Amino acid sequence: MKNFNFKTKFIILLLLVSLIPTIFVGIFSYEISKSTIYERIEIDLATQAENLMGQIDRFFYERHNDTQFIISDSTLINNNASTAQKTATLKEYLINLGLYNNIHLLNLEGDIIASTDYSETYPNVSKEDWFINTKKIFYNTSDIQFSPYTGEPTIIFSTV
């Protein structure tokens, strides 16, 4: 530094004095920004999760209402109505609701009374977990499982 004149030494000192705080401010700003962004992402994800949970709850509540509506139909609860009449009523619900692949009406013993897609392979479902669980509680929604009728992923909505 002896070879440099005062002006050069002063400029180098000024640069060092201004550069060191700038580096610290940059690092500090980066850390604050990073934590703020992470907090914002966390809040946004929590909001999205709450919205999705609300949509799922609403979906299952609407399916519960569908089952309540179907089981209150006078044709379906009439013991004197024929299987053909009950099947026709279920097919009307299948078309009108537009959400289901099949609707099956069972008695408390697990026998299929009427169905939009009756299968001789499964005339009785009394041994199925979802049926046993439904008999224990008033309303049941199964986890996604493969339908014994179609082999497709299915959620079973049932009520006693």
Side-chain angles (χ1 to χ4, degrees):
M1 284 268 225
K2 287 185 185 180
N3 298 342
F4 297 114
N5 63 16
F6 177 76
K7 190 174 165 183
T8 306
K9 289 179 185 179
F10 182 73
I11 291 175
I12 291 174
L13 180 65
L14 190 61
L15 285 175
L16 286 176
V17 168
S18 63
L19 187 61
I20 291 173
T22 304
I23 291 172
F24 283 126
V25 167
I27 292 171
F28 184 70
S29 296
Y30 170 77
E31 291 299 321
I32 289 176
S33 298
K34 185 172 79 169
S35 66
T36 303
I37 290 172
Y38 284 145
E39 288 172 10
R40 186 66 199 166
I41 289 171
E42 187 177 316
I43 290 168
D44 288 347
L45 288 175
T47 303
Q48 288 178 3
E50 287 176 17
N51 290 339
L52 183 59
M53 287 178 8
Q55 291 173 355
I56 291 169
D57 284 345
R58 198 168 33 259
F59 174 81
F60 283 115
Y61 180 74
E62 289 169 358
R63 302 303 66 84
H64 171 69
N65 287 342
D66 291 348
T67 59
Q68 293 300 313
F69 186 66
I70 290 170
I71 65 163
S72 66
D73 187 282
S74 60
T75 304
L76 297 177
I77 60 175
N78 183 354
N79 291 333
N80 297 326
S82 69
T83 301
Q85 289 173 317
K86 291 180 180 186
T87 300
T89 301
L90 288 179
K91 286 182 179 180
E92 286 177 27
Y93 281 117
L94 186 68
I95 292 168
N96 292 336
L97 294 172
L99 183 68
Y100 305 101
N101 290 335
N102 297 305
I103 301 174
H104 309 285
L105 179 65
L106 299 110
N107 63 16
L108 292 175
E109 287 75 41
D111 298 315
I112 296 176
I113 298 169
S115 174
T116 57
D117 184 31
Y118 183 73
S119 172
E120 291 291 334
T121 312
Y122 296 96
N124 187 286
V125 295
S126 61
K127 303 288 187 232
E128 299 286 336
D129 289 338
W130 59 266
F131 185 78
I132 294 167
N133 290 338
T134 300
K135 288 181 74 172
K136 292 178 188 174
I137 58 175
F138 180 71
Y139 176 72
N140 183 48
T141 301
S142 73
D143 291 331
I144 292 181
Q145 58 189 16
F146 286 97
S147 168
Y149 306 104
T150 63
E152 296 177 5
T154 303
I155 298 175
I156 297 173
F157 300 94
S158 54
T159 189
V160 177

